Amino acid sequence: MGIKDTDKLAWAEALDQGPIKQAIATWAKTYGIWLVAGTVPIQSTTPGLVRNASMLFNPQGERAAYYDKIHLFRFATETERYDEAAVIEAGRVPVVAEMVDRSGQTWKLGLSVCYDLRFPELYRQHVAQGAHILLAPAAFTFTTGQAHWELLLRARAVENQCWMLAAAQGGQHVNGRQTWGHSMVVDPWGQVLAQQSAAGAGISYAVLDAALLQQVRQRLPALEHRCL
């Protein structure tokens, strides 16, 4: 997080090359994992703007999917003011990616970023494309996070009967911004299975059970009951 919003322009990389993406690809391959990096600044064709991309890398270190953040955050109080549209070019297309775990289970992941959480229609499109997991890396402000972070994550998980994975920056940053943190894993019934403390680095993890997801959807087939 830079001192000012325009700092990210200097870090913007081409879609398929650059030190940030190379580091992420190396970690995914070295440890044999699926790794979502959210977010990476990607060069835009519009001068003075970057794209805010969430990227999925497979265990071979290859980029399997990427999503450009669609909804751009704007918020103002007497003491805080944010406007992402000043430096970020909005994406247009929802993205659902396919992943196969070590057991051979196939999962479909709906990619989103931060402020996207406030727009349930995006996640409905994910489910329409078969999503089982919703991913939301974020840097919610302390103010908005304290009020809405857990509420939104649990709501998106419950209404879409999906697993919700949300990695979040937390603490006081050198630019004066304070973020809420509380990285979280929420199950399809809306239960918080793991949560990181507000500040400092850490790991939140849980076992994602495909059988539980199917059980929730069969017992309460709300997704089949949609009329609008």
Side-chain angles (χ1 to χ4, degrees), residues 49-71:
L49 297 180
V50 299
R51 289 181 287 150
N52 210 21
S54 180
M55 294 191 166
L56 172 67
F57 287 82
N58 65 24
Q60 291 73 47
E62 302 162 336
R63 177 172 58 82
Y66 79 97
Y67 160 73
D68 290 329
K69 183 182 182 184
I70 291 175
H71 302 97

Side-chain angles (χ1 to χ4, degrees), residues 12-211:
E13 300 182 354
L15 181 60
D16 286 312
Q17 59 184 348
I20 299 175
K21 288 185 290 299
Q22 184 56 54
I24 298 162
T26 298
W27 295 331
K29 184 175 182 178
T30 299
Y31 298 107
I33 58 173
W34 289 87
L35 179 60
V36 175
T39 57
V40 179
I42 300 299
Q43 294 169 354
S44 167
T45 56
T46 304
L49 297 180
V50 299
R51 289 181 287 150
N52 210 21
S54 180
M55 294 191 166
L56 172 67
F57 287 82
N58 65 24
Q60 291 73 47
E62 302 162 336
R63 177 172 58 82
Y66 79 97
Y67 160 73
D68 290 329
K69 183 182 182 184
I70 291 175
H71 302 97
L72 302 183
F73 181 57
R74 185 170 65 196
F75 178 67
T77 67
E78 293 77 10
T79 58
E80 299 175 273
R81 186 173 298 276
Y82 307 99
D83 186 3
E84 289 185 332
V87 292
I88 295 174
E89 179 181 39
R92 294 288 182 268
V93 182
V95 175
V96 173
E98 191 169 289
M99 178 186 76
V100 180
D101 68 21
R102 292 187 177 96
S103 72
Q105 174 71 42
T106 298
W107 299 87
K108 290 190 175 181
L109 295 75
L111 302 179
S112 66
V113 176
C114 202
Y115 189 50
D116 282 333
L117 277 172
R118 296 184 181 275
F119 301 89
E121 58 272 20
L122 172 63
Y123 300 92
R124 281 301 202 211
Q125 292 199 40
H126 289 163
V127 170
Q129 296 179 50
H132 310 110
I133 303 170
L134 306 174
L135 298 168
F140 261 50
T141 69
F142 187 91
T143 303
T144 59
Q146 186 178 43
H148 301 142
W149 174 245
E150 181 175 334
L151 171 68
L152 290 169
L153 290 174
R154 295 181 70 186
R156 298 296 86 86
V158 169
E159 68 197 7
N160 296 293
Q161 298 182 318
C162 285
W163 293 90
M164 170 61 79
L165 309 182
Q169 291 191 29
Q172 191 74 38
H173 302 272
V174 294
N175 62 0
R177 182 172 175 178
Q178 186 177 8
T179 50
W180 178 243
H182 293 86
S183 297
M184 202 175 297
V185 180
V186 184
D187 76 12
W189 193 244
Q191 302 301 304
V192 178
L193 301 186
Q195 183 173 176
Q196 178 63 22
S197 62
I203 298 174
S204 296
Y205 65 91
V207 175
L208 305 192
D209 185 353

